[in-house]
Amino acid sequence: VRDGLAYVAEYQNGMVIVDVSAPATPVAVGRTSAFAASVALHGAHALVAGPNPVRIYDVSDPTAPEKVADLSVGDQVNDMLVDGDLLYLAVDDGLRIADLSDPLEPVLLGRVDTADRGLGLALHGDHVYLAAGEAGVRGIDVADPAAPAETWTDGWSTHANDVAIHDGWLWVADDAGGPDPYELADPDSPRKVLLELYTSSALKSVTPWPRVD
C-alpha cells in the first residue's frame, strides 16, 4: 500500500490497483492481465512477479498501468523486495539481485544458487537471509551486489519457508513449526535463541508487527 493505493497480486487475474483512501469503500481503479504472484514498488513502477519474467509497469497513472520492461531471471520468482535501486529475488534456484536504476532496462547483477528453492527473503544491512526450503536459511553478504557471498547457514531448519527481520532479530518459519528467533548482533553468525513459541503444524510465513513500509 502506498499513497492510498493497494497493489494486489491476484494470480490468474493479474495485478489489481485498489483505491483504499476510504477503507470502508475500496474501489479497483486499474488492472493488469498477466499472472501476478507478488508485487513490489519502485518509484513510479510496480514490479509484478510470477513465472519468469518479472514484469515492470509504469503506474504513474494507476488507472492505466503500462508495461515498460521485462526482467528475465530464468526461474520462478517466489518472493522479492526492493531496497533503493536494488531488487532482491528469491527464485527456485536461490537468490538473484538486479539493478533498477533504469527501470526501462533492468540488469541482473549477481546470484547465489542453493540446493533447494528460494522461498522467502529479508534484508538486514548488507546481508540477505534467504529461506531455502530443505537447504535451510542462508545468510548472504550483498555488500557487493554483483558478487554476493554466502556466509552462514542456520543448521536447524528442516524446511525453511519464510524469514522476517524485526528490531535486530531474524525470525524463521519452518515446516517443523516456529517462529524460530535468531539474534543478529553479528550478521555473519546469527545466534539461535531457544523460545517455546511453536505452532503444532508447518509455519509457511512470518511477518513482524508493527510493519514498517
Side-chain angles (χ1 to χ4, degrees):
V1 178
R2 187 180 67 190
D3 298 333
L5 295 171
Y7 297 79
V8 184
E10 287 199 340
Y11 292 88
Q12 288 85 355
N13 293 325
M15 175 183 69
V16 181
I17 304 175
V18 183
D19 185 337
V20 292
S21 56
T25 54
V27 178
V29 296
R31 172 183 298 276
T32 64
S33 58
F35 186 96
S38 60
V39 178
L41 299 176
H42 176 257
H45 296 86
L47 315 174
V48 180
N52 181 60
V54 175
R55 294 172 172 86
I56 302 179
Y57 293 88
D58 185 331
V59 291
S60 53
D61 178 359
T63 67
E66 177 187 3
K67 192 181 86 163
V68 295
D70 285 333
L71 173 64
S72 178
V73 296
D75 218 336
Q76 168 75 31
V77 177
N78 301 310
D79 194 16
M80 60 181 175
L81 64 84
V82 173
D83 181 57
D85 285 331
L86 293 175
L87 172 65
Y88 299 91
L89 303 132
V91 302
D92 276 356
D93 280 343
L95 175 73
R96 301 290 182 272
I97 305 173
D99 181 359
L100 298 175
S101 54
D102 182 356
L104 302 186
E105 295 186 4
V107 178
L108 282 176
L109 295 177
R111 63 187 289 165
V112 171
D113 292 338
T114 55
D116 201 1
R117 300 169 62 203
L119 298 174
L121 52 80
L123 180 67
H124 179 69
D126 288 334
H127 289 73
V128 163
Y129 297 94
L130 179 73
E134 292 182 359
V137 180
R138 324 302 287 196
I140 301 167
D141 186 329
V142 294
D144 180 355
E150 187 172 311
T151 60
W152 173 80
T153 183
D154 71 321
W156 288 77
S157 300
T158 58
H159 192 285
N161 297 308
D162 196 18
V163 286
I165 303 288
H166 180 62
D167 198 24
W169 291 81
L170 168 69
W171 295 86
V172 178
D174 188 85
D175 270 4
D180 294 321
Y182 292 78
E183 186 182 28
L184 292 176
D186 179 358
D188 285 326
S189 184
R191 182 177 65 89
K192 190 174 193 299
V193 176
L194 297 177
L195 179 67
E196 293 184 3
L197 177 64
Y198 296 99
T199 60
S200 58
S201 57
L203 194 64
K204 296 300 183 182
S205 65
V206 57
T207 302
W209 186 263
R211 286 190 60 177
V212 177
D213 292 321

